Amino acid sequence: MTTRTEPDRAASSPPAEAGAAHWLDALLDRMPRRPGELAAPPPGSGLGPVHGDRGLPVVGMGVHMIRHGPAFQLQLLRRHGPVSWWQVFGRRVVAVCGPEAVQEVLANRDKAFVTGWPDVVGPWFDGGLLAMDGPGHLADRRLLQAAYGEPALEGYLRRMVEDVTAGLADWPTGRPVRAVGAIRELSGQMTTRALLGVPYDAGGRQVMRDVEACIRAESALLRLALPGTAWHRAGRARRRLAARLARAVPQARVRADDDFLSVVGRLVGPDGGRLTLPQVVDHMIFTLIASHDTTTAATVAAVYFLGKHPGWQRRARAESNARGDAPLDVAGLHRLETLELVVKESVRLVSPSPILMRRAVRDTDVLGHHVPAGQLVSVCTGVNQLLPELWPDPHRFDPERFAEARGEDRVHRLAWAPFGAGQHKCVGMHFGMLKVKATLDALLRRFEWSFPASYTARWRFTSLPAPADGLPVVLRPAPGRPGVS
Ligand code: HEM
Protein backbone atom coordinates (compact mmCIF):
# COMPACT_ATOMS: atom_id res chain seq x y z
CA MET A 1 0.00 0.00 0.00
CA THR A 2 1.64 3.18 -1.11
CA THR A 3 0.18 6.59 -0.42
CA ARG A 4 1.77 9.51 -2.12
CA THR A 5 0.97 12.77 -0.41
CA GLU A 6 1.97 16.08 -1.96
CA PRO A 7 5.22 16.22 0.04
CA ASP A 8 5.76 12.51 -0.52
CA ARG A 9 5.63 12.69 -4.28
CA ALA A 10 7.77 15.73 -4.30
CA ALA A 11 10.29 14.12 -1.99
CA SER A 12 11.39 11.86 -4.80
CA SER A 13 11.19 14.53 -7.49
CA PRO A 14 11.36 18.34 -7.41
CA PRO A 15 8.10 19.91 -6.16
CA ALA A 16 7.52 21.85 -9.34
CA GLU A 17 7.84 18.64 -11.33
CA ALA A 18 5.59 16.76 -8.89
CA GLY A 19 2.80 19.30 -9.21
CA ALA A 20 3.34 20.31 -12.83
CA ALA A 21 -0.19 19.21 -13.70
CA HIS A 22 -1.49 22.36 -11.99
CA TRP A 23 -1.03 25.63 -13.88
CA LEU A 24 0.35 27.40 -10.81
CA ASP A 25 3.02 24.75 -10.33
CA ALA A 26 3.94 24.92 -14.00
CA LEU A 27 4.33 28.69 -13.53
CA LEU A 28 6.37 28.28 -10.35
CA ASP A 29 8.58 25.82 -12.18
CA ARG A 30 9.44 28.49 -14.77
CA MET A 31 10.03 31.22 -12.18
CA PRO A 32 13.62 32.49 -11.98
CA ARG A 33 15.34 31.28 -8.82
CA ARG A 34 18.12 33.87 -8.85
CA PRO A 35 20.65 31.90 -6.79
CA GLY A 36 23.30 33.63 -4.73
CA GLU A 37 25.29 33.75 -1.48
CA LEU A 38 23.73 34.80 1.82
CA ALA A 39 26.75 36.66 3.23
CA ALA A 40 30.51 36.62 2.74
CA PRO A 41 32.25 34.59 5.48
CA PRO A 42 34.77 36.55 7.61
CA PRO A 43 38.18 36.52 5.86
CA GLY A 44 40.46 33.80 7.19
CA SER A 45 37.59 32.03 9.02
CA GLY A 46 37.84 28.98 6.77
CA LEU A 47 34.03 28.97 6.55
CA GLY A 48 32.05 28.68 3.35
CA PRO A 49 29.10 30.88 2.34
CA VAL A 50 25.49 29.68 2.49
CA HIS A 51 24.08 29.32 -1.03
CA GLY A 52 20.40 29.72 -1.79
CA ASP A 53 17.60 31.10 -3.96
CA ARG A 54 16.27 34.65 -4.00
CA GLY A 55 13.24 33.95 -6.22
CA LEU A 56 10.96 36.80 -7.28
CA PRO A 57 11.41 40.29 -5.82
CA VAL A 58 9.56 40.66 -2.46
CA VAL A 59 7.50 37.42 -2.70
CA GLY A 60 10.71 35.42 -3.04
CA MET A 61 9.97 31.70 -2.84
CA GLY A 62 6.94 32.20 -0.56
CA VAL A 63 4.41 30.58 -2.91
CA HIS A 64 6.68 27.55 -3.40
CA MET A 65 6.83 27.16 0.36
CA ILE A 66 3.05 27.42 0.87
CA ARG A 67 2.33 24.92 -1.91
CA HIS A 68 5.06 22.39 -1.19
CA GLY A 69 6.25 22.78 2.44
CA PRO A 70 8.91 20.17 3.27
CA ALA A 71 9.17 19.17 -0.40
CA PHE A 72 10.29 22.71 -1.20
CA GLN A 73 12.95 22.56 1.52
CA LEU A 74 14.01 19.15 0.26
CA GLN A 75 14.59 20.73 -3.11
CA LEU A 76 16.79 23.38 -1.44
CA LEU A 77 18.73 20.54 0.19
CA ARG A 78 19.27 18.84 -3.17
CA ARG A 79 20.25 22.09 -4.90
CA HIS A 80 22.42 23.72 -2.26
CA GLY A 81 23.24 21.17 0.46
CA PRO A 82 22.17 20.85 4.14
CA VAL A 83 22.57 24.59 4.87
CA SER A 84 20.91 26.87 2.32
CA TRP A 85 18.83 30.05 2.25
CA TRP A 86 15.69 31.29 0.53
CA GLN A 87 13.87 34.56 0.39
CA VAL A 88 10.27 34.90 1.51
CA PHE A 89 8.30 38.14 1.46
CA GLY A 90 11.44 40.27 1.56
CA ARG A 91 13.17 38.28 4.30
CA ARG A 92 16.09 35.84 3.98
CA VAL A 93 15.72 32.60 5.89
CA VAL A 94 18.37 29.92 6.29
CA ALA A 95 17.06 26.35 5.84
CA VAL A 96 18.84 23.64 7.78
CA CYS A 97 18.05 20.11 6.56
CA GLY A 98 19.41 16.62 7.15
CA PRO A 99 20.15 14.97 10.48
CA GLU A 100 23.63 16.41 11.14
CA ALA A 101 22.76 20.03 10.39
CA VAL A 102 19.50 19.83 12.35
CA GLN A 103 21.31 18.25 15.29
CA GLU A 104 23.97 20.97 15.29
CA VAL A 105 21.41 23.78 15.54
CA LEU A 106 19.07 22.10 18.02
CA ALA A 107 21.92 20.92 20.30
CA ASN A 108 22.97 24.61 20.34
CA ARG A 109 26.19 23.83 22.20
CA ASP A 110 27.68 27.32 21.94
CA LYS A 111 24.32 29.00 22.65
CA ALA A 112 24.46 30.87 19.34
CA PHE A 113 20.75 30.29 18.64
CA VAL A 114 17.65 31.53 20.42
CA THR A 115 14.01 30.99 19.55
CA GLY A 116 13.05 32.67 16.29
CA TRP A 117 9.31 32.24 16.66
CA PRO A 118 8.46 35.77 17.89
CA ASP A 119 10.23 37.18 14.77
CA VAL A 120 8.00 35.06 12.54
CA VAL A 121 4.61 34.74 14.22
CA GLY A 122 4.45 38.07 16.04
CA PRO A 123 3.56 38.76 19.69
CA TRP A 124 1.00 35.97 20.13
CA PHE A 125 3.42 33.58 21.90
CA ASP A 126 4.75 36.31 24.24
CA GLY A 127 5.60 35.01 27.71
CA GLY A 128 5.09 31.38 26.62
CA LEU A 129 7.91 28.81 26.76
CA LEU A 130 8.56 28.97 23.01
CA ALA A 131 9.15 32.74 23.20
CA MET A 132 11.67 32.37 26.06
CA ASP A 133 15.33 31.35 26.32
CA GLY A 134 18.12 30.95 28.85
CA PRO A 135 17.69 30.53 32.62
CA GLY A 136 14.18 32.01 32.64
CA HIS A 137 12.99 29.43 30.11
CA LEU A 138 14.69 26.60 31.98
CA ALA A 139 13.21 27.58 35.36
CA ASP A 140 9.66 27.92 34.02
CA ARG A 141 9.94 24.74 31.96
CA ARG A 142 11.15 22.73 34.98
CA LEU A 143 8.25 24.01 37.04
CA LEU A 144 5.64 23.45 34.34
CA GLN A 145 6.86 19.92 33.58
CA ALA A 146 4.98 18.62 36.64
CA ALA A 147 1.72 19.62 34.96
CA TYR A 148 2.56 17.20 32.10
CA GLY A 149 3.33 14.14 34.27
CA GLU A 150 1.26 10.97 34.09
CA PRO A 151 -0.83 11.55 37.25
CA ALA A 152 -1.91 14.96 35.94
CA LEU A 153 -2.53 13.62 32.41
CA GLU A 154 -5.07 11.16 33.79
CA GLY A 155 -7.32 14.04 34.87
CA TYR A 156 -7.08 15.86 31.54
CA LEU A 157 -7.73 12.63 29.64
CA ARG A 158 -10.87 11.85 31.63
CA ARG A 159 -12.31 15.23 30.64
CA MET A 160 -11.22 14.93 27.00
CA VAL A 161 -12.77 11.46 26.67
CA GLU A 162 -16.12 12.73 28.01
CA ASP A 163 -16.03 15.72 25.66
CA VAL A 164 -15.00 13.84 22.52
CA THR A 165 -17.86 11.39 23.04
CA ALA A 166 -20.34 14.24 23.44
CA GLY A 167 -18.84 16.15 20.48
CA LEU A 168 -19.09 13.20 18.09
CA ALA A 169 -22.75 12.64 18.92
CA ASP A 170 -23.60 15.48 16.49
CA TRP A 171 -21.49 14.22 13.58
CA PRO A 172 -23.64 13.16 10.62
CA THR A 173 -23.32 9.92 8.65
CA GLY A 174 -24.03 9.37 4.96
CA ARG A 175 -23.11 12.84 3.71
CA PRO A 176 -19.77 14.62 3.29
CA VAL A 177 -18.22 16.35 6.29
CA ARG A 178 -15.15 18.56 5.92
CA ALA A 179 -12.82 16.74 8.27
CA VAL A 180 -10.45 19.66 8.87
CA GLY A 181 -13.13 22.03 10.21
CA ALA A 182 -14.95 19.29 12.11
CA ILE A 183 -11.77 18.02 13.79
CA ARG A 184 -10.70 21.56 14.67
CA GLU A 185 -14.08 22.14 16.34
CA LEU A 186 -13.78 18.79 18.14
CA SER A 187 -10.28 19.74 19.34
CA GLY A 188 -11.78 22.93 20.81
CA GLN A 189 -14.55 20.96 22.50
CA MET A 190 -11.91 18.68 24.06
CA THR A 191 -9.66 21.55 25.16
CA THR A 192 -11.47 24.03 27.38
CA ARG A 193 -12.58 21.73 30.21
CA ALA A 194 -9.26 19.84 30.20
CA LEU A 195 -7.08 22.95 30.12
CA LEU A 196 -9.21 25.57 31.87
CA GLY A 197 -12.03 23.76 33.65
CA VAL A 198 -14.48 25.70 31.43
CA PRO A 199 -17.22 23.74 29.60
CA TYR A 200 -17.24 24.43 25.85
CA ASP A 201 -20.86 25.57 25.90
CA ALA A 202 -20.34 27.88 28.89
CA GLY A 203 -17.61 30.20 27.62
CA GLY A 204 -15.20 27.64 26.14
CA ARG A 205 -16.36 28.26 22.56
CA GLN A 206 -15.42 31.97 22.79
CA VAL A 207 -12.04 31.04 24.31
CA MET A 208 -11.28 28.80 21.32
CA ARG A 209 -12.47 31.44 18.81
CA ASP A 210 -9.98 33.84 20.45
CA VAL A 211 -7.22 31.23 20.34
CA GLU A 212 -7.94 30.64 16.66
CA ALA A 213 -7.81 34.41 15.96
CA CYS A 214 -4.26 34.44 17.39
CA ILE A 215 -3.30 31.37 15.32
CA ARG A 216 -4.67 32.96 12.12
CA ALA A 217 -2.69 36.16 12.71
CA GLU A 218 0.57 34.16 12.87
CA SER A 219 0.59 33.84 9.08
CA ALA A 220 -0.93 37.26 8.26
CA LEU A 221 1.03 39.31 5.73
CA LEU A 222 -0.46 42.65 6.81
CA ARG A 223 0.84 43.16 10.34
CA LEU A 224 -0.87 46.39 11.30
CA ALA A 225 -3.57 46.68 13.93
CA LEU A 226 -5.98 48.33 11.50
CA PRO A 227 -9.66 47.56 12.16
CA GLY A 228 -10.81 44.66 9.98
CA THR A 229 -7.39 42.97 9.77
CA ALA A 230 -6.48 39.57 11.22
CA TRP A 231 -3.79 41.33 13.26
CA HIS A 232 -6.31 43.70 14.86
CA ARG A 233 -8.73 40.84 15.63
CA ALA A 234 -5.93 38.81 17.20
CA GLY A 235 -4.89 41.75 19.41
CA ARG A 236 -8.43 42.04 20.76
CA ALA A 237 -8.72 38.26 21.12
CA ARG A 238 -5.48 38.02 23.10
CA ARG A 239 -6.55 40.84 25.42
CA ARG A 240 -9.89 39.06 26.02
CA LEU A 241 -8.08 35.81 26.77
CA ALA A 242 -5.67 37.55 29.13
CA ALA A 243 -8.50 39.29 31.01
CA ARG A 244 -10.49 36.07 31.33
CA LEU A 245 -7.48 34.13 32.57
CA ALA A 246 -6.49 36.87 35.02
CA ARG A 247 -9.93 36.47 36.62
CA ALA A 248 -9.73 32.67 36.57
CA VAL A 249 -6.22 32.15 38.01
CA PRO A 250 -6.93 33.16 41.67
CA GLN A 251 -9.89 30.74 41.80
CA ALA A 252 -7.91 28.00 40.06
CA ARG A 253 -5.09 28.32 42.62
CA VAL A 254 -7.41 27.42 45.49
CA ARG A 255 -9.81 24.92 43.94
CA ALA A 256 -8.66 21.32 44.33
CA ASP A 257 -9.46 20.38 40.74
CA ASP A 258 -7.55 18.44 38.10
CA ASP A 259 -7.81 20.69 35.01
CA PHE A 260 -4.47 22.00 33.64
CA LEU A 261 -4.97 25.58 34.88
CA SER A 262 -5.67 24.40 38.45
CA VAL A 263 -2.61 22.15 38.36
CA VAL A 264 -0.37 24.95 36.99
CA GLY A 265 -1.81 27.47 39.46
CA ARG A 266 -0.83 25.23 42.39
CA LEU A 267 2.71 24.42 41.19
CA VAL A 268 5.46 25.32 43.66
CA GLY A 269 9.16 25.38 42.65
CA PRO A 270 12.04 23.90 44.68
CA ASP A 271 12.61 27.34 46.25
CA GLY A 272 8.97 27.53 47.32
CA GLY A 273 8.23 30.10 44.58
CA ARG A 274 5.15 30.11 42.35
CA LEU A 275 4.51 31.55 38.92
CA THR A 276 3.09 35.08 39.15
CA LEU A 277 -0.38 35.79 37.78
CA PRO A 278 0.92 37.39 34.52
CA GLN A 279 3.27 34.41 34.05
CA VAL A 280 0.43 31.90 34.41
CA VAL A 281 -1.71 33.95 32.00
CA ASP A 282 1.02 34.03 29.32
CA HIS A 283 1.90 30.34 29.71
CA MET A 284 -1.78 29.40 29.48
CA ILE A 285 -2.36 31.44 26.30
CA PHE A 286 0.65 29.85 24.64
CA THR A 287 -0.41 26.36 25.79
CA LEU A 288 -3.86 26.86 24.29
CA ILE A 289 -2.27 27.94 21.00
CA ALA A 290 0.42 25.21 21.01
CA SER A 291 -1.98 22.39 21.75
CA HIS A 292 -4.88 23.20 19.42
CA ASP A 293 -3.68 23.29 15.81
CA THR A 294 -0.89 20.74 16.26
CA THR A 295 -3.24 18.06 17.56
CA THR A 296 -5.81 18.99 14.89
CA ALA A 297 -3.18 18.60 12.14
CA ALA A 298 -2.00 15.25 13.53
CA THR A 299 -5.57 13.92 13.80
CA VAL A 300 -6.44 15.09 10.28
CA ALA A 301 -3.34 13.34 8.89
CA ALA A 302 -4.23 10.08 10.68
CA VAL A 303 -7.88 10.27 9.54
CA TYR A 304 -6.63 10.69 5.97
CA PHE A 305 -4.21 7.75 6.09
CA LEU A 306 -6.70 5.49 7.90
CA GLY A 307 -9.24 6.33 5.19
CA LYS A 308 -6.73 5.47 2.47
CA HIS A 309 -5.68 2.23 4.18
CA PRO A 310 -8.80 0.37 5.37
CA GLY A 311 -6.74 -2.61 6.58
CA TRP A 312 -5.01 -0.42 9.16
CA GLN A 313 -8.35 1.16 10.05
CA ARG A 314 -9.90 -2.28 10.75
CA ARG A 315 -6.89 -3.34 12.81
CA ALA A 316 -6.97 -0.15 14.91
CA ARG A 317 -10.76 -0.41 15.39
CA ALA A 318 -10.50 -4.01 16.56
CA GLU A 319 -8.08 -2.92 19.31
CA SER A 320 -10.30 -0.02 20.33
CA ASN A 321 -13.41 -2.22 20.43
CA ALA A 322 -11.62 -4.90 22.45
CA ARG A 323 -11.91 -2.61 25.48
CA GLY A 324 -15.68 -3.10 25.49
CA ASP A 325 -17.41 -0.55 27.71
CA ALA A 326 -14.45 0.00 30.05
CA PRO A 327 -13.57 3.70 30.32
CA LEU A 328 -10.47 4.88 28.47
CA ASP A 329 -7.54 5.81 30.73
CA VAL A 330 -3.84 6.46 30.12
CA ALA A 331 -2.93 2.76 30.51
CA GLY A 332 -5.73 1.84 28.08
CA LEU A 333 -4.37 4.28 25.49
CA HIS A 334 -0.87 2.83 25.87
CA ARG A 335 -2.36 -0.56 24.99
CA LEU A 336 -3.67 0.75 21.64
CA GLU A 337 -0.45 -0.23 19.90
CA THR A 338 -1.79 -0.10 16.34
CA LEU A 339 -3.02 3.45 16.88
CA GLU A 340 0.39 4.40 18.26
CA LEU A 341 2.08 3.10 15.07
CA VAL A 342 -0.49 4.81 12.83
CA VAL A 343 -0.13 8.19 14.54
CA LYS A 344 3.67 8.03 14.47
CA GLU A 345 3.65 7.20 10.75
CA SER A 346 1.02 9.87 10.00
CA VAL A 347 3.05 12.65 11.66
CA ARG A 348 6.17 11.38 9.91
CA LEU A 349 4.57 11.79 6.49
CA VAL A 350 2.72 15.01 7.38
CA SER A 351 4.55 16.65 10.26
CA PRO A 352 2.21 19.10 12.07
CA SER A 353 5.11 21.44 12.79
CA PRO A 354 7.62 20.69 10.02
CA ILE A 355 9.98 23.59 10.75
CA LEU A 356 11.32 25.04 13.99
CA MET A 357 12.37 28.68 13.96
CA ARG A 358 15.63 29.91 15.47
CA ARG A 359 17.67 33.14 15.27
CA ALA A 360 21.45 33.47 15.48
CA VAL A 361 22.39 35.91 18.26
CA ARG A 362 25.97 36.23 16.97
CA ASP A 363 28.06 35.20 14.00
CA THR A 364 28.21 31.43 14.02
CA ASP A 365 28.48 28.49 11.64
CA VAL A 366 26.53 25.34 10.82
CA LEU A 367 28.50 22.46 9.28
CA GLY A 368 31.19 24.96 8.25
CA HIS A 369 28.80 27.49 6.68
CA HIS A 370 28.89 31.09 7.88
CA VAL A 371 25.61 32.23 9.50
CA PRO A 372 25.66 35.94 10.41
CA ALA A 373 24.29 37.43 13.64
CA GLY A 374 20.57 38.16 13.51
CA GLN A 375 19.91 35.53 10.84
CA LEU A 376 16.62 33.63 10.99
CA VAL A 377 17.05 29.88 10.66
CA SER A 378 14.33 27.35 9.83
CA VAL A 379 15.23 23.92 11.19
CA CYS A 380 13.54 21.52 8.78
CA THR A 381 12.73 18.45 10.87
CA GLY A 382 9.89 17.58 8.46
CA VAL A 383 12.40 17.07 5.63
CA ASN A 384 14.40 14.53 7.65
CA GLN A 385 11.25 12.48 8.05
CA LEU A 386 11.03 12.02 4.27
CA LEU A 387 14.69 11.47 3.39
CA PRO A 388 15.40 8.27 1.43
CA GLU A 389 18.85 8.32 3.06
CA LEU A 390 17.14 7.66 6.42
CA TRP A 391 13.90 5.85 5.60
CA PRO A 392 13.43 2.82 3.32
CA ASP A 393 10.72 3.66 0.77
CA PRO A 394 10.01 6.96 2.58
CA HIS A 395 6.77 7.79 0.73
CA ARG A 396 5.03 4.59 1.67
CA PHE A 397 2.48 4.64 4.51
CA ASP A 398 3.97 1.81 6.55
CA PRO A 399 3.23 2.15 10.29
CA GLU A 400 5.03 -1.13 11.00
CA ARG A 401 8.34 0.66 10.43
CA PHE A 402 7.95 1.97 14.01
CA ALA A 403 7.39 -1.51 15.49
CA GLU A 404 10.08 -2.70 17.90
CA ALA A 405 11.39 -5.33 15.45
CA ARG A 406 12.08 -2.79 12.69
CA GLY A 407 12.62 0.45 14.64
CA GLU A 408 13.44 2.47 11.52
CA ASP A 409 13.14 5.68 13.54
CA ARG A 410 16.22 4.61 15.51
CA VAL A 411 18.55 5.11 12.52
CA HIS A 412 19.28 8.65 13.79
CA ARG A 413 17.92 10.55 16.79
CA LEU A 414 16.71 13.29 14.44
CA ALA A 415 15.24 11.05 11.75
CA TRP A 416 11.82 11.34 13.42
CA ALA A 417 11.31 14.59 15.34
CA PRO A 418 7.72 15.82 14.95
CA PHE A 419 7.89 17.08 18.55
CA GLY A 420 11.25 18.81 18.05
CA ALA A 421 14.40 18.21 20.08
CA GLY A 422 16.74 20.08 22.41
CA GLN A 423 15.81 22.83 24.90
CA HIS A 424 12.41 23.52 23.34
CA LYS A 425 11.32 19.93 22.67
CA CYS A 426 7.55 19.70 23.02
CA VAL A 427 6.76 19.51 26.72
CA GLY A 428 3.20 18.48 25.77
CA MET A 429 4.28 15.49 23.67
CA HIS A 430 2.57 12.84 25.81
CA PHE A 431 -0.47 15.06 26.30
CA GLY A 432 -0.63 15.58 22.51
CA MET A 433 -0.28 11.88 21.71
CA LEU A 434 -3.01 11.05 24.27
CA LYS A 435 -5.35 13.63 22.82
CA VAL A 436 -4.84 12.51 19.21
CA LYS A 437 -5.20 8.84 20.12
CA ALA A 438 -8.28 9.48 22.29
CA THR A 439 -9.88 11.35 19.37
CA LEU A 440 -9.10 8.58 16.88
CA ASP A 441 -10.23 5.88 19.32
CA ALA A 442 -13.62 7.60 19.67
CA LEU A 443 -13.90 8.05 15.88
CA LEU A 444 -13.00 4.43 15.17
CA ARG A 445 -15.48 3.03 17.69
CA ARG A 446 -18.28 5.11 16.21
CA PHE A 447 -17.59 5.41 12.47
CA GLU A 448 -15.85 3.90 9.51
CA TRP A 449 -14.69 5.87 6.47
CA SER A 450 -12.66 5.53 3.32
CA PHE A 451 -11.33 7.65 0.46
CA PRO A 452 -11.50 6.57 -3.18
CA ALA A 453 -8.23 5.21 -4.59
CA SER A 454 -8.28 8.15 -7.01
CA TYR A 455 -8.32 10.71 -4.17
CA THR A 456 -5.01 12.20 -3.03
CA ALA A 457 -5.03 15.05 -0.56
CA ARG A 458 -3.11 18.14 -1.65
CA TRP A 459 -1.51 19.53 1.49
CA ARG A 460 -1.04 23.26 1.95
CA PHE A 461 1.47 24.84 4.32
CA THR A 462 0.15 28.36 4.97
CA SER A 463 0.48 27.77 8.68
CA LEU A 464 0.25 24.13 9.83
CA PRO A 465 -0.28 21.54 7.06
CA ALA A 466 -3.89 20.89 6.01
CA PRO A 467 -5.54 19.48 2.87
CA ALA A 468 -6.49 22.39 0.60
CA ASP A 469 -10.04 21.01 0.11
CA GLY A 470 -10.72 20.59 3.84
CA LEU A 471 -10.67 16.77 3.42
CA PRO A 472 -14.31 15.91 2.63
CA VAL A 473 -15.17 12.54 4.13
CA VAL A 474 -18.37 10.48 4.31
CA LEU A 475 -18.76 8.65 7.62
CA ARG A 476 -20.68 5.41 8.04
CA PRO A 477 -21.72 3.76 11.32
CA ALA A 478 -18.86 1.51 12.43
CA PRO A 479 -19.43 -2.21 11.99
CA GLY A 480 -19.73 -4.36 15.10
CA ARG A 481 -21.09 -1.61 17.33
CA PRO A 482 -24.83 -2.25 17.44
CA GLY A 483 -26.84 0.64 18.79
CA VAL A 484 -24.24 3.22 17.82
CA SER A 485 -24.89 5.28 14.72
C1 HEM B 1 0.58 16.28 17.97
C2 HEM B 1 0.65 17.31 18.77
C3 HEM B 1 1.84 18.22 18.95
C4 HEM B 1 2.92 18.44 18.13
C5 HEM B 1 3.23 17.78 16.79
C6 HEM B 1 3.76 19.42 18.80
C7 HEM B 1 4.96 19.89 18.29
C8 HEM B 1 5.80 20.73 18.98
C9 HEM B 1 7.10 21.12 18.52
C10 HEM B 1 7.73 20.70 17.20
C11 HEM B 1 7.64 21.93 19.47
C12 HEM B 1 9.03 22.53 19.44
C13 HEM B 1 9.06 23.84 18.68
C14 HEM B 1 10.47 24.38 18.54
O1 HEM B 1 11.43 23.81 19.04
O2 HEM B 1 10.60 25.42 17.88
C15 HEM B 1 6.68 22.08 20.53
C16 HEM B 1 6.85 22.85 21.66
C17 HEM B 1 5.89 22.99 22.64
N1 HEM B 1 4.69 22.35 22.72
FE1 HEM B 1 3.99 20.98 21.42
N2 HEM B 1 3.17 19.77 19.97
C18 HEM B 1 2.00 19.06 20.11
C19 HEM B 1 1.11 19.12 21.16
C20 HEM B 1 1.25 19.91 22.28
C21 HEM B 1 0.31 19.98 23.37
C22 HEM B 1 -0.97 19.13 23.47
C23 HEM B 1 0.79 20.90 24.25
C24 HEM B 1 0.22 21.36 25.56
C25 HEM B 1 -0.88 20.91 26.14
C26 HEM B 1 2.03 21.42 23.72
C27 HEM B 1 2.81 22.37 24.32
C28 HEM B 1 4.05 22.77 23.85
C29 HEM B 1 4.88 23.73 24.55
C30 HEM B 1 4.52 24.46 25.86
C31 HEM B 1 6.03 23.87 23.79
C32 HEM B 1 7.22 24.78 24.08
C33 HEM B 1 8.28 24.02 24.86
C34 HEM B 1 9.48 24.89 25.16
O3 HEM B 1 9.69 25.89 24.49
O4 HEM B 1 10.20 24.56 26.12
N3 HEM B 1 2.28 20.79 22.52
N4 HEM B 1 5.56 21.33 20.20
Side-chain angles (χ1 to χ4, degrees):
M1 287 182 295
T2 301
T3 292
R4 298 210 181 276
T5 62
E6 185 73 15
D8 300 338
R9 272 189 293 148
S12 55
S13 54
E17 190 183 311
H22 194 281
W23 65 266
L24 182 54
D25 295 316
L27 195 67
L28 289 177
D29 198 22
R30 281 200 288 276
M31 210 184 78
R33 296 193 167 240
R34 303 201 297 147
E37 290 180 4
L38 176 72
S45 65
L47 300 175
V50 177
H51 292 278
D53 293 331
R54 207 174 271 110
L56 291 178
V58 186
V59 177
M61 309 291 289
V63 184
H64 289 79
M65 173 61 197
I66 289 169
R67 283 188 74 76
H68 300 299
F72 162 68
Q73 290 137 4
L74 181 63
Q75 198 183 43
L76 282 176
L77 168 68
R78 298 297 186 228
R79 277 168 62 80
H80 302 294
V83 189
S84 61
W85 71 273
W86 52 292
Q87 189 187 209
V88 56
F89 303 117
R91 182 182 251 173
R92 292 174 167 207
V93 181
V94 163
V96 164
C97 304
E100 280 76 30
V102 167
Q103 177 151 327
E104 196 167 315
V105 176
L106 293 185
N108 200 14
R109 286 195 218 296
D110 56 358
K111 310 248 181 307
F113 295 103
V114 295
T115 178
W117 286 108
D119 303 54
V120 177
V121 300
W124 319 114
F125 290 8
D126 280 3
L129 283 180
L130 208 44
M132 302 170 73
D133 278 295
H137 168 261
L138 197 63
D140 281 14
R141 186 176 162 112
R142 283 202 176 126
L143 189 59
L144 286 166
Q145 223 137 19
Y148 292 96
E150 198 141 304
L153 289 177
E154 205 74 73
Y156 318 146
L157 178 62
R158 183 177 43 74
R159 290 160 184 255
M160 289 194 291
V161 167
E162 287 164 10
D163 290 334
V164 74
T165 309
L168 286 183
D170 294 339
W171 281 35
T173 51
R175 63 180 168 85
V177 177
R178 285 197 190 275
V180 175
I183 291 170
R184 184 175 290 124
E185 181 73 12
L186 193 61
S187 164
Q189 288 168 321
M190 294 168 72
T191 294
T192 57
R193 239 169 28 99
L195 256 59
L196 304 176
V198 175
Y200 194 65
D201 286 331
R205 182 176 281 108
Q206 182 58 46
V207 167
M208 295 316 293
R209 294 293 93 91
D210 287 342
V211 169
E212 283 164 9
C214 294
I215 292 173
R216 266 196 300 278
E218 288 170 14
S219 50
L221 286 179
L222 184 60
R223 297 184 162 212
L224 290 174
L226 297 173
T229 61
W231 205 255
H232 185 252
R233 279 193 294 277
R236 289 175 50 190
R238 199 181 194 283
R239 283 193 292 279
R240 255 194 315 270
L241 283 172
R244 177 177 192 120
L245 283 161
R247 287 193 301 276
V249 173
Q251 300 153 22
R253 286 199 201 274
V254 291
R255 70 170 177 248
D257 221 332
D258 57 3
D259 61 274
F260 187 84
L261 177 61
S262 299
V263 174
V264 168
R266 291 196 302 268
L267 291 176
V268 179
D271 57 354
R274 296 201 306 183
L275 293 168
T276 64
L277 188 142
Q279 283 176 313
V280 176
V281 168
D282 284 343
H283 282 306
M284 286 307 305
I285 292 177
F286 175 67
T287 306
L288 285 161
I289 294 174
S291 64
H292 183 40
D293 253 24
T294 48
T295 51
T296 299
T299 309
V300 167
V303 163
Y304 171 66
F305 290 115
L306 284 169
K308 290 291 284 181
H309 301 282
W312 280 98
Q313 189 179 141
R314 279 193 294 276
R315 185 170 145 181
R317 180 176 298 107
E319 275 179 20
S320 285
N321 283 345
R323 183 172 76 251
D325 292 327
L328 188 59
D329 56 11
V330 174
L333 274 177
H334 286 325
R335 281 193 292 275
L336 299 181
E337 288 171 11
T338 299
L339 215 40
E340 177 89 7
L341 300 179
V342 164
V343 175
K344 283 183 166 175
E345 178 68 337
S346 300
V347 297
R348 180 186 72 82
L349 285 167
V350 182
S351 187
S353 189
I355 56 174
L356 318 177
M357 295 309 305
R358 298 293 184 267
R359 183 168 51 81
V361 282
R362 52 189 150 79
D363 281 7
T364 185
D365 76 281
V366 180
L367 298 185
H369 296 80
H370 170 60
V371 177
Q375 179 60 51
L376 262 182
V377 174
S378 58
V379 182
C380 305
T381 49
V383 169
N384 290 3
Q385 299 179 181
L386 298 171
L387 280 180
E389 295 91 314
L390 297 175
W391 301 91
D393 202 356
H395 322 307
R396 189 176 145 91
F397 178 76
D398 180 9
E400 210 78 60
R401 65 172 88 236
F402 288 95
E404 195 54 36
R406 281 171 60 189
E408 289 177 12
D409 52 320
R410 293 197 297 267
V411 63
H412 191 286
R413 55 190 297 272
L414 286 158
W416 187 81
F419 294 95
Q423 290 101 326
H424 288 286
K425 182 172 180 179
C426 182
V427 70
M429 179 169 84
H430 298 300
F431 192 153
M433 283 297 281
L434 288 183
K435 181 177 169 193
V436 173
K437 285 171 69 178
T439 309
L440 293 167
D441 171 80
L443 275 167
L444 287 162
R445 281 164 64 99
R446 197 170 184 99
F447 303 115
E448 68 169 1
W449 65 95
S450 56
F451 297 104
S454 59
Y455 177 77
T456 302
R458 292 183 67 91
W459 301 87
R460 287 290 165 265
F461 302 88
T462 318
S463 127
L464 298 192
D469 61 2
L471 195 64
V473 60
V474 178
L475 301 166
R476 300 178 294 277
R481 296 282 298 167
V484 177
S485 64

